[in-house]
Structures are given as C-alpha cells and as structure tokens.
Amino acid sequence: MSRTYDSLIRGELVLPDRILADGWVAVSAGRIAGIGEGEPPAAHAVADHRGDLVLPGLVDGHMHTGSAVGFPGIEGATMSAAAGGVTTCVDMPYDVPRAVTDAGIFREKVEWVERLAHVDVALYATIRKHGGLAAIPALAEAGACSFKLSTYEYDENRFPRIDHITMVEAFREIAKTGLMVSVHNEDQEMVEFLTAQAKAEGRTDPIMHCRTRPPLAESMADGEIFEIGLETGAHVHMAHSSIARGFRMAEDFRRAGGKATGEACLQYLCMTEEDLVRLEGFGKCNPPFRTAEEVERIWEELLAGRIAYVSTDHAPWPREKKVYKGDIFAVGAGLTGMQSFAPVMYTLLVGRGLSPQLMALYCAERPARFHGLFPKKGAIRVGADADLCVLERGDFTFDAAEIRDREDARWSPYDGREVKARVAATYLRGACIWDGQEVLAKPGTGGFVPRQNHDTYIG
C-alpha cells in the first residue's frame, strides 16, 4: 500500500547538490519524509508553489532580540523572521537588563522563547566581565549553541570587554565544550582615541563613524583573538568581518593549526560609506560600512569559500534611537535585517549571475552546521525539520512599513530598495507560518532548539 503523507510542498527545490525544477517535499510529523521531482505521491494537503523557488528555511546566525527591550523582544523579532523566510534564529546573549551569563538566566530565556517565539530559536551564552568562568560548563550543558565575547565594551554589565587574561582562560574552558566562541572584533583603545579626537575637532557627522572605526581596528582585534585561539585550541570566530583581510587572516591561522573562522553580514555585501552618509543614523552599525572596493573584496572571499556564513546582525532598536541629530556618536549602532535578508540576498546573487544554491549554503546550511543545529536544521534533506522559505521571483520594492515587529522597529536601511524576489510563504516544521501577507504563527509556535552536537568546527 502506498503511503499518504501529511502534506506536500511543490516548487523549484534548491537542494544542497542540485535544483529540482518540478520538485516536491513530502512532510510527516513536521519532518521531511521524502523529496522528489515530477508526479508527487498522495498527501492529505498540498501547497502548490510551482514557479517559485523553495529554499531551506534560512538560519540567521546572528541577531539581537533583547538588546533594546529585553526578553519580550523575542516576540516581534521572530514575527519578522517568519515574514522573512527565517525559520531559525540564533540569538545573541546581550539582553537588557542582564546578559545570559549563567545557566539560570539561560533557562529563564528558554522559557520566554517557548512562550513568545514565532520561529525556532537557538541561543548564545556569554560570561561576566569578572568571575564568570565557572559558569561555562553549565551553560554548555543547558544547550547553548555557541559563546560570545567582545574586545570592545558597550556596557560593563550587559556587553563588556573581556580583558586578555580572562579571555585566554575563557577560551580554554570553552574549548573543552567543543563549541564555537564568537567575538565582537574591534580594538577598544583605537576606537576610543579616534572618537575622542573627532569630538574634540567638532567632527560628529555620519562619515566619522567610519573614520573612527577604521579597518585596522578590526584586523588588530582579529589577530588578538586568533592568537589566543591558537594557544588554547578554541574554535574562534569573528562575529562579523567588514574587511576581506579578516577572512584571509582566519585562513592563515587555520594553516597554522588553529580553528579560526568568521562571518560576513548582509550589509557588508552591498552597503558602502556613501550609504552611511545617505542613511545617517539608520545606516550605523559596528563595524561600519566600508568602501565599494571593499565590498567587492568581500564577495571574492565568499566565492573563494573563506567565509563561514552570512548573517544579518539584526538589532531592532527603537526608531528614536536611530535618528541622527547632529552627533553620529549618539546614535545606536545596529540594523534591522531579518525580513529583508532573503529578498536582498537573492537580489545580490541574481545581479552577479550566481545560483540560489549559494544562498541555501551560506544562509541556511552553514550557519546551522557552525551552531551545531545540523542536520535538524539548514537543508532540504530527508529527516530534517520541514522548514522552508518560498521566494516569488519578480520586480518588487522592499517596504519597511511592512516589517512585522513592534511599531518603533519598522525601519530598515533597505527601505525602498528594488529587489528581485519576495517571501511568498514560510514553513516551520511543515506548517505555513507566513502566507505572503500575514504571519499565521502564534507566539509559542516556535521553540528553543538546543545544540544537536558539540563539534561545530568546519575547517
């Protein structure tokens, strides 16, 4: 007797090794039970997306749901994710009023995720500025997918700089867990000196955000963290590199025997210093946008396979915190990016004549692998969760007013940008959570995804 599946999703499937023009995904109990092409098997329900691209649900490996409003920010941010084809968010630990520095706080955040999330969420952990090393094993045991530290201090409690000696010891402890330690990579001393100098000269216009955080501030921090990684055996990861030099440095340290990697963010594949001048505060992020020539060099690194994955560094600050009022240094640093992730990334690939398979690889499979979520997440493959992002191709304009988040977070550096696709549907474990118009998921539809394995290094 032939099997009848719970549901089928039809369309142009983007698989790890090929694209099926008339493909189908069969779903049973929320997981992919079959993949094929042509005449589909029987199912209780069929979603027909023929003519549209069907990719794995995107895995955004870098986002901040709680930096502005704390754990309640999970609700709006994951609603935006659902509308953007992002089915798994990897959330940073720098929440207000407390960072996720021990297993108790971690479990509390998991409870909030289970109650509020519209998509699935994996969680980073971090350490306190002083005396937090003992908490590392329990955080790993609680299901943290990765750790995050910083060479630059935004807040001594919530987002501290970890000094060299503490970082060495932290890396040693994290290495024992097998997990990746991601690091915000900017040199504090250089940035503080250049910022003070700019303010003294009355230079607080937008371009000075770039000038006071030069490429050297990144590469100095990169060398520091990779050297410590080489010494301790930790898998050290640049949380975001806006410069090609960072990825070349990581490769050099891998050749020396280190576990060194780094991610690019979507903005570093398309935004330039001129965009910061145009966008003012709404284009401010750390590290800042670079030159058009540097954007091209980042693409070279991606196509050469030296970039771990592409993320958004989504940080939905209240609009008021992003308004430039004559002092770029007073503006909050961070961009919204999840709902624009799929349309903009696809458009960039189309503009360069590149395959959407690169999007499936760098925006779904590889972040899932680095955060220990594969094979449950990250690819259209039998046994994986039936998480899918459906793209309707055409000529569209990204409209920030359509962002599904709290009202004061409906802004975007990509507002008004012409794109070549829109997210027509999103499926989480086989259920449609976005139909192209409305988020169908309710708070709690998503849930916490613990790390599936310990060895997250991909050399």
Side-chain angles (χ1 to χ4, degrees):
M1 180 180 292
S2 61
R3 179 178 182 179
T4 299
Y5 294 98
D6 293 344
S7 61
L8 280 169
I9 295 98
R10 304 187 68 179
E12 189 172 332
L13 301 189
V14 182
L15 305 181
D17 59 343
R18 66 197 187 282
I19 296 177
L20 300 183
D22 182 20
W24 51 262
V25 173
V27 181
S28 287
R31 294 192 173 188
I32 296 175
I35 299 168
E37 190 172 21
E39 188 64 27
H44 294 295
V46 177
D48 194 343
H49 295 289
R50 282 177 291 180
D52 295 338
L53 278 176
V54 179
L55 295 106
L58 303 193
V59 178
D60 191 346
H62 188 152
M63 60 176 291
H64 299 261
T65 65
S67 291
V69 296
F71 293 163
I74 292 166
E75 182 173 2
T78 56
M79 183 179 291
S80 178
V86 177
T87 52
T88 305
C89 299
V90 184
D91 197 35
M92 287 293 172
Y94 296 125
D95 305 300
V96 293
R98 310 170 293 165
V100 181
T101 55
D102 63 52
I105 300 173
F106 190 94
R107 286 190 289 268
E108 182 182 345
K109 188 170 184 178
V110 168
E111 291 174 0
W112 280 87
V113 167
E114 295 286 352
R115 186 162 68 249
L116 296 180
H118 293 80
V119 302
D120 286 346
V121 179
L123 296 176
Y124 265 96
T126 189
I127 63 171
R128 297 196 305 273
K129 186 170 183 174
H130 303 292
L133 300 180
I136 289 172
L139 283 162
E141 184 64 27
C145 66
S146 304
F147 284 86
K148 174 72 177 287
L149 307 181
S150 183
T151 61
Y152 185 89
E153 186 161 297
Y154 292 93
D155 180 278
E156 66 176 353
N157 294 311
R158 187 182 67 83
F159 202 139
R161 173 185 177 271
I162 303 301
D163 66 73
H164 293 166
I165 302 304
T166 303
M167 190 171 284
V168 170
E169 293 307 312
F171 280 20
R172 287 194 199 281
E173 289 301 314
I174 293 168
K176 296 175 186 177
T177 72
L179 301 185
M180 181 174 80
V181 54
S182 176
V183 185
H184 181 103
N185 49 322
E186 292 182 292
D187 183 79
Q188 178 105 20
E189 184 178 359
M190 177 173 287
V191 172
E192 286 187 346
F193 173 81
L194 293 175
T195 301
Q197 184 179 66
K199 288 181 177 180
E201 295 172 354
R203 292 297 309 276
T204 59
D205 47 306
I207 196 60
M208 294 310 292
H209 179 59
C210 299
R211 300 294 177 262
T212 56
R213 295 179 120 88
L216 183 59
E218 271 190 72
S219 58
M220 286 176 64
D222 294 338
E224 170 188 313
I225 63 176
F226 288 150
E227 285 287 359
I228 298 175
L230 190 62
E231 172 70 20
T232 60
H235 171 194
V236 179
H237 179 84
M238 296 177 294
H240 31 45
S241 183
S242 69
I243 56 173
R245 169 79 175 134
F247 301 111
R248 293 296 182 103
M249 290 175 71
E251 182 179 54
D252 289 343
F253 276 90
R254 289 195 296 273
R255 288 174 176 164
K259 298 177 179 180
T261 59
E263 72 197 66
C265 297
L266 180 65
Q267 54 267 30
Y268 305 133
L269 293 170
C270 59
M271 293 292 195
T272 67
E273 292 180 342
E274 287 74 18
D275 289 307
L276 176 61
V277 173
R278 172 179 59 85
L279 292 165
E280 297 181 336
F282 293 98
K284 181 181 176 182
C285 63
N286 294 333
F289 303 157
R290 303 299 183 190
T291 63
E293 291 78 14
E294 195 64 36
V295 168
E296 292 305 310
R297 287 190 283 268
I298 294 287
W299 275 100
E300 291 173 9
E301 295 302 301
L302 183 73
L303 297 179
R306 284 187 286 267
I307 292 177
Y309 57 85
V310 178
S311 65
T312 67
D313 196 1
H314 178 77
W317 291 112
R319 172 180 289 273
E320 179 59 26
K321 194 172 180 63
K322 296 295 292 180
V323 176
Y324 170 66
K325 300 175 182 177
D327 182 1
I328 194 63
F329 302 115
V331 175
L335 310 175
T336 64
M338 271 196 299
Q339 201 163 321
S340 50
F341 193 11
V344 173
M345 187 68 189
Y346 177 78
T347 302
L348 296 176
L349 291 172
V350 167
R352 292 171 181 268
L354 299 172
S355 171
Q357 283 181 279
L358 287 173
M359 183 169 163
L361 178 63
Y362 284 101
C363 305
E365 181 175 334
R366 285 180 66 87
R369 286 183 180 274
F370 273 84
H371 290 288
L373 307 176
F374 191 85
K376 182 180 178 68
K377 303 292 185 182
I380 300 176
R381 56 183 301 280
V382 173
D385 284 356
D387 297 348
L388 304 169
C389 169
V390 180
L391 290 183
E392 176 187 352
R393 290 164 288 195
D395 294 317
F396 304 97
T397 302
F398 186 79
D399 184 357
E402 296 299 316
I403 290 177
R404 299 313 202 264
D405 201 337
R406 56 180 206 276
E407 186 174 352
D408 65 359
R410 294 174 191 165
W411 58 268
S412 170
Y414 306 105
D415 187 34
R417 192 182 188 98
E418 299 301 314
V419 293
K420 292 297 182 180
R422 74 177 192 95
V423 180
T426 305
Y427 292 86
L428 178 68
R429 287 176 263 113
C432 184
I433 60 170
W434 165 255
D435 64 3
Q437 300 295 325
E438 299 294 335
V439 174
L440 305 179
K442 303 299 181 185
T445 300
F448 170 58
V449 185
R451 179 197 61 254
Q452 304 295 297
N453 54 75
H454 283 260
D455 188 4
T456 57
Y457 176 65
I458 303 174

